[in-house]
Amino acid sequence: MMILRRVGVLARCVIGLALLFNANVSFSQTPAEKKRLRSFEKRVDVLRSRLKIPALSVVVLEKQRVLWIRGFGFADVENRIPATPDTVYSIASLTKTFGATLIMQLVEQGKLDLDEPVSHYSSDFKDESVKIKHLLSHTSAGVPGERFQYDGKKFHYLTAVIERKFGKPFLNVVVETFFDPLGMPSSVPYHNVVVDSGKWVGSLGKDRLDRFKASLERFAQPYAYYGAGETVHDSYPSRDYVGAAAGLLSTVRDLAKYDIALDRHVLLKKETQEKAWRPFVSNAGERLPYGLGWFVTDYHGHKLVWHYGQWGTGFSAVYLKVPERSVSIVLLSNSEALVDHGGYEEIAKNTFVCSFLGLWNYAYDCAPQSEAALKKWIEDRRAKGRVEVRVDPRILDSYVGEYQFETLDNRLYTFMREGGKLFFTETESSKRTELFAESESTFFLKDRPYVFVFTTAEGQAPQLKIVEGPNTYLSKRIK
């Protein structure tokens, strides 16, 4: 048994080297293919420009080899650093496909039953009605198994399942199962892994941490689309989170290797992978739009297997497979616009995906639908844009100080004025965020749906509340 295990590890290393080679080599293309790909490349860049996406990296695969790979725009607009196939992005919920693959490995090995209650792994579940399969398929809301409702927070509970069964942190499992064996040298388990090196050097080793540090030097800056097409520098998403639901950082070149490994059944047997890529069936026998860790769409009789990644703003990602043609595309960007403009459940409405489907004569009616969705999204953004006004610096000075929010974990906001602008820092962060005035007392952000309202009672210092949709958070001025 020990010998077989060692042979298995050796085989995985050899496969990893093969994947590394194939992910860097393109097909020799016929003149017709070259023409189609040139047209696709131009279309991608036009769409990127229309959506004000600063950086976009894309890889197209056919029959388990890279057909075309490119970077567009700038990973760092301010410093004019170009995007390339090796630019690092947060892949957000594409991480779910990695988490799901680990769960299915455990099932395949007989170490886990999809019908096992989640309550065996978390006390947050008070009875045994919610099963592992319900978290994997996003069917845990209401009556488990009754309907699909995407829920990243619920999916995160699979992290505990993976960690207990593998006997090590999720981060280590990902590195040892995917990054190392598949030859994914630019991928990073989470943003702060180097900052937290003291915690991980023992299990990961200095060489890996040095590799992560080098990759993070190619980490794209985050941006957001605002108003009438303004590109706003955004803040990074959570830097210290990694789990089954989100957190991984990667490149399109590395994800090409992951895609090849899936199609060669390096990670899962064919029958196990097909089970994950089969629509989950509800209690009433209805085929749902999600399988086990993957969206599954019947598009004019053709199966599309896919996932998106979306942090709200800053980063978004699309990963689409057409199994019957053995073709795939991965798109990573440093703006929410890549995913947001097409919605979240009808993947063919995404203009980039529609253009990709057109490469293989699968476009059908998606072009007018995707164009309409893109135009509506741009108009909606324009309509939601707020008009900025100038405020007397003396009024801004009255708002300078520190405010504490008990309902936000005692979060501390410190406000300061610079010229005619008001800025703030949050808790222990050194990052300054600019506020934009809508009136003398109301301010907004361009990268988050928050409104800051200062109220002043006669003879008292101004107080602050933050409004986020239906929620209002009150503060106490402490300085």
Side-chain angles (χ1 to χ4, degrees), residues 224-270:
Y225 185 113
Y226 181 77
E230 181 182 357
T231 299
V232 181
H233 198 288
D234 201 359
S235 56
Y236 281 110
S238 177
R239 293 169 179 253
D240 57 2
Y241 171 82
V242 62
L248 300 183
L249 315 179
S250 194
T251 69
V252 293
R253 195 185 305 279
D254 277 5
L255 291 176
K257 298 169 190 175
Y258 173 56
D259 182 72
I260 292 168
L262 289 171
D263 285 351
R264 291 186 180 176
H265 306 297
V266 172
L267 299 167
L268 293 171
K269 295 177 183 178
K270 182 179 180 181

Side-chain angles (χ1 to χ4, degrees), residues 89-342:
Y89 301 85
S90 170
I91 68 170
S93 284
L94 294 197
T95 303
K96 289 183 175 65
T97 70
F98 288 82
T101 298
L102 293 172
I103 290 290
M104 296 308 288
Q105 283 185 344
L106 293 168
V107 172
E108 190 175 89
Q109 295 163 13
K111 297 177 180 178
L112 182 68
D113 188 333
L114 291 178
D115 285 315
E116 186 176 357
V118 183
S119 59
H120 293 182
Y121 300 90
S122 173
S123 60
D124 290 348
F125 295 83
K126 304 305 180 185
D127 58 44
E128 297 192 344
S129 61
V130 178
K131 316 293 187 184
I132 301 292
K133 64 183 180 183
H134 296 136
L135 297 188
L136 266 181
S137 59
H138 295 281
T139 57
S140 64
V143 177
E146 187 174 67
R147 60 190 175 90
F148 168 78
Q149 182 176 313
Y150 190 86
D151 190 334
K153 291 182 179 179
K154 288 283 187 68
F155 201 96
H156 172 64
Y157 283 101
L158 293 172
T159 307
V161 180
I162 292 166
E163 292 186 335
R164 184 184 301 182
K165 291 296 184 179
F166 279 90
K168 60 186 69 176
F170 179 83
L171 177 155
N172 297 83
V173 178
V174 167
V175 171
E176 295 169 15
T177 305
F178 302 105
F179 294 177
D180 288 354
L182 303 184
M184 300 172 67
S186 296
S187 297
V188 180
Y190 73 104
H191 192 170
N192 268 5
V193 66
V194 175
V195 175
D196 299 338
S197 60
K199 178 180 178 181
W200 298 109
V201 67
S203 61
L204 291 174
K206 185 177 182 300
D207 288 347
R208 284 197 186 107
L209 289 169
D210 287 344
R211 188 179 80 207
F212 298 151
K213 183 178 180 180
S215 295
L216 287 168
E217 292 175 359
R218 290 181 276 110
F219 194 12
Q221 291 291 312
Y223 298 90
Y225 185 113
Y226 181 77
E230 181 182 357
T231 299
V232 181
H233 198 288
D234 201 359
S235 56
Y236 281 110
S238 177
R239 293 169 179 253
D240 57 2
Y241 171 82
V242 62
L248 300 183
L249 315 179
S250 194
T251 69
V252 293
R253 195 185 305 279
D254 277 5
L255 291 176
K257 298 169 190 175
Y258 173 56
D259 182 72
I260 292 168
L262 289 171
D263 285 351
R264 291 186 180 176
H265 306 297
V266 172
L267 299 167
L268 293 171
K269 295 177 183 178
K270 182 179 180 181
E271 56 268 29
T272 309
Q273 191 67 76
E274 287 178 348
K275 183 176 182 178
W277 290 349
R278 192 179 302 141
F280 192 82
V281 178
S282 73
N283 299 338
E286 178 189 2
R287 286 163 61 93
L288 300 177
Y290 205 85
L292 299 175
W294 300 79
F295 284 92
V296 185
T297 301
D298 184 338
Y299 177 70
H300 295 275
H302 307 287
K303 177 188 280 190
L304 304 181
V305 177
W306 59 281
H307 217 289
Y308 67 84
Q310 169 69 296
W311 275 114
T313 57
F315 290 98
S316 57
V318 173
Y319 179 13
L320 172 78
K321 299 177 67 61
V322 186
E324 69 182 23
R325 280 296 296 264
S326 191
V327 295
S328 306
I329 186 170
V330 182
L331 305 100
L332 303 179
S333 76
N334 58 350
S335 164
E336 78 285 359
L338 167 63
V339 167
D340 209 35
H341 79 275

